């Protein structure tokens, strides 16, 4: 539900950014966001030392 709900506003925002700033900016922004999420989510949630 969250994925489908965010698709339409994301498409509009990406289209506006591409129109006013440049076509490659939304692609680079998406690449940077995915890279940042990858780094942030690679941390362990639960360590086995405390179990």
């Amino acid at each position: 539900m969250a994925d489908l709900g965010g698709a339409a506003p994301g498409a509009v925002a990406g289209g506006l950014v591409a129109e006013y700033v440049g076509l490659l900016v939304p692609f680079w922004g998406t690449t940077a966001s995915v890279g940042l999420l990858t780094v942030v989510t690679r941390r362990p949630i639960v360590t086995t030392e405390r179990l």
Side-chain angles (χ1 to χ4, degrees):
M1 183 82 164
D3 180 42
L4 293 176
V12 171
L16 290 173
V17 169
E19 182 176 344
Y20 291 110
V21 180
L23 185 58
L24 290 178
V25 173
F27 293 107
W28 285 111
T30 302
T31 303
S33 299
V34 169
L36 179 64
L37 283 172
T38 302
V39 169
V40 169
T41 58
R42 291 292 294 176
R43 295 180 300 161
I45 296 172
V46 177
T47 59
T48 57
E49 296 170 358
R50 294 183 356 183
L51 296 176

